[in-house]
Amino acid sequence: MKRKLFSTLLCAVALLLLMGAGVENADAADVMVKEESTRQIQDGQVLETGEESGEELNADAPETQGEDETEAEQESELTPVVPAVELDANFLIDGQPVPADTARMMKNGVTYVALTPTVKALAPEAQITWNSWTRTAEVQTGALKLTAQAGQFYAVANGRYLYAKDGILMQNNRVMIPLAVLTEAFGATHTWDSATNTVRVTRGTGALVPAESYYNQNDLFWLSRIIHAESGNQPLKGKMAVGNVVMNRVASPRFPNSVQAVLAQKNQFTTYRGGKLANRTPNEGSVIAAKLVLDGGVVEEVRGALYFDSLTRSWASRQRIFLGKIGGHSFYR
């Protein structure tokens, strides 16, 4: 009996000792985890694992990203990005290259430019409007009013008519105008270096002399009337060519030196006889043609012509050099 009690007591003591050791080991493991966790956090790391810990990591990522985006947006607002302007190094105004969107091009030996960007390069203060119905651009500065209508063979600047032999063009929804016409309108000059394909424009007065101060009214009176009498039903170039003949005679030492005197010369312009020409009212096209000619417009096809007629077997056809035919008239030098 005593032995049984002693054995039972020994078992109980042994069980108590084993339970105490298990608790002590568990506490030690917990301390190690806590110490490791503290060390890793101090090193800038995160110890937690599992589903809950994963949620915390995922939540932190977008929060940090949002802060970065806000800083980037603030920096963008403070220092806006300005795109570089592409320049045309072969098109200079007062020595400075102009933006490449002037779209400079050549057609039949004539330099064309896009009207709007070139005007802005010449005169940044210019106001430009566009009428899509008539396809007409209007430029206004303090000293200049310029209109250019797509399809016409001229631009109008301060009431003067400037000739564009190949017309005012539309290309890629832009008005293209001869550079020579634009520089003349702005009272500027330009040169072209064929070796380097470089155009140089030099600003001038900012606007050409207006019509009322430029055209000789007596010359305009007679020239518009002879054009109307001889070619009032002809196309614009036909009207201009008749006017060119008259002005070529004025410039030639073989003929009188004024428009009226050329018309009055014996056996030359029969429509002048009897004073009937002075009483005619020229149509609009004849007045425009006269202004184009007085402003230097020349029909290249018959440049230098001194004679014209509408006959098949005429004195000029037998004695002079044939240059070309426009409408119902043949022209000779």
Side-chain angles (χ1 to χ4, degrees):
M1 185 67 179
K2 290 181 179 179
R3 288 181 179 177
K4 287 183 179 180
L5 290 173
F6 182 75
S7 297
T8 300
L9 180 62
L10 286 177
C11 288
V13 170
L15 179 61
L16 289 173
L17 290 174
L18 287 174
M19 289 177 64
V23 170
E24 184 178 356
N25 290 338
D27 290 342
D30 185 53
V31 170
M32 289 179 63
V33 168
K34 290 180 179 179
E35 289 178 351
E36 180 67 10
S37 174
T38 301
R39 184 185 66 79
Q40 290 182 355
I41 291 174
Q42 289 175 349
D43 290 344
Q45 298 177 2
V46 179
L47 174 68
E48 290 84 358
T49 60
E51 183 175 346
E52 182 178 351
S53 174
E55 290 175 356
E56 290 180 0
L57 289 173
N58 290 337
D60 287 344
E63 182 178 349
T64 303
Q65 183 179 359
E67 292 176 357
D68 292 341
E69 288 178 353
T70 301
E71 291 176 0
E73 289 174 0
Q74 291 175 349
E75 182 178 356
S76 176
E77 290 177 0
L78 292 174
T79 56
V81 177
V82 179
V85 176
E86 185 179 354
L87 301 176
D88 183 347
N90 295 105
F91 185 5
L92 311 176
I93 295 180
D94 289 342
Q96 298 301 314
V98 303
D101 66 353
T102 54
R104 181 171 58 103
M105 71 173 197
M106 294 288 289
K107 179 177 180 179
N108 297 331
V110 176
T111 300
Y112 274 79
V113 292
L115 183 142
T116 296
T118 308
V119 165
K120 286 297 186 181
L122 279 167
E125 78 283 3
Q127 299 297 312
I128 305 171
T129 57
W130 168 250
N131 186 322
S132 59
W133 181 256
T134 61
R135 302 206 308 167
T136 301
E138 182 175 302
V139 177
Q140 187 81 52
T141 71
L144 175 67
K145 180 180 179 180
L146 168 73
T147 58
Q149 183 177 9
Q152 288 285 15
F153 289 96
Y154 55 81
V156 184
N158 285 352
R160 289 172 57 180
Y161 285 72
L162 309 180
Y163 185 49
K165 71 182 183 68
D166 292 308
I168 308 298
L169 310 177
M170 284 294 293
Q171 186 177 82
N172 298 326
N173 294 320
R174 308 176 96 182
V175 178
M176 303 295 293
I177 188 170
L179 179 61
V181 170
L182 205 55
T183 53
E184 183 176 1
F186 275 90
T189 59
H190 80 281
T191 59
W192 177 57
D193 185 344
S194 59
T196 61
N197 190 30
T198 299
V199 173
R200 293 180 174 86
V201 174
T202 302
R203 288 185 178 89
T205 61
L208 78 179
V209 175
E212 55 268 23
S213 301
Y214 179 80
Y215 295 128
N216 180 300
Q217 293 304 308
N218 191 63
D219 288 347
L220 180 58
F221 177 91
W222 289 108
L223 190 60
S224 61
R225 280 160 175 76
I226 194 63
I227 289 174
H228 176 73
E230 298 287 352
S231 58
N233 62 347
Q234 300 295 305
L236 178 63
K237 285 189 176 183
K239 294 182 177 72
M240 287 182 64
V242 167
N244 284 154
V245 167
V246 175
M247 297 310 296
N248 288 343
R249 289 191 175 194
V250 171
S252 171
R254 297 164 49 194
F255 298 91
N257 60 2
S258 73
V259 173
Q260 186 176 3
V262 164
L263 301 184
Q265 193 175 20
K266 187 178 179 180
N267 299 327
Q268 295 303 308
F269 291 91
T270 57
T271 52
Y272 181 82
R273 296 175 187 170
K276 293 182 179 179
L277 187 63
N279 295 322
R280 293 200 179 193
T281 300
N283 58 26
E284 182 183 16
S286 296
V287 175
I288 290 173
K291 289 181 177 180
L292 286 166
V293 170
L294 290 173
D295 237 308
V298 175
V299 180
E300 291 295 334
E301 296 92 323
V302 294
R303 177 180 283 274
L306 291 169
Y307 304 89
F308 68 90
D309 60 39
S310 57
L311 305 175
T312 54
R313 293 288 297 171
S314 64
W315 172 85
S317 66
R318 298 191 306 271
Q319 302 295 326
R320 311 307 299 182
I321 299 173
F322 175 75
L323 296 177
K325 185 172 184 178
I326 302 176
H329 289 126
S330 296
F331 293 85
Y332 308 87
R333 184 171 60 238

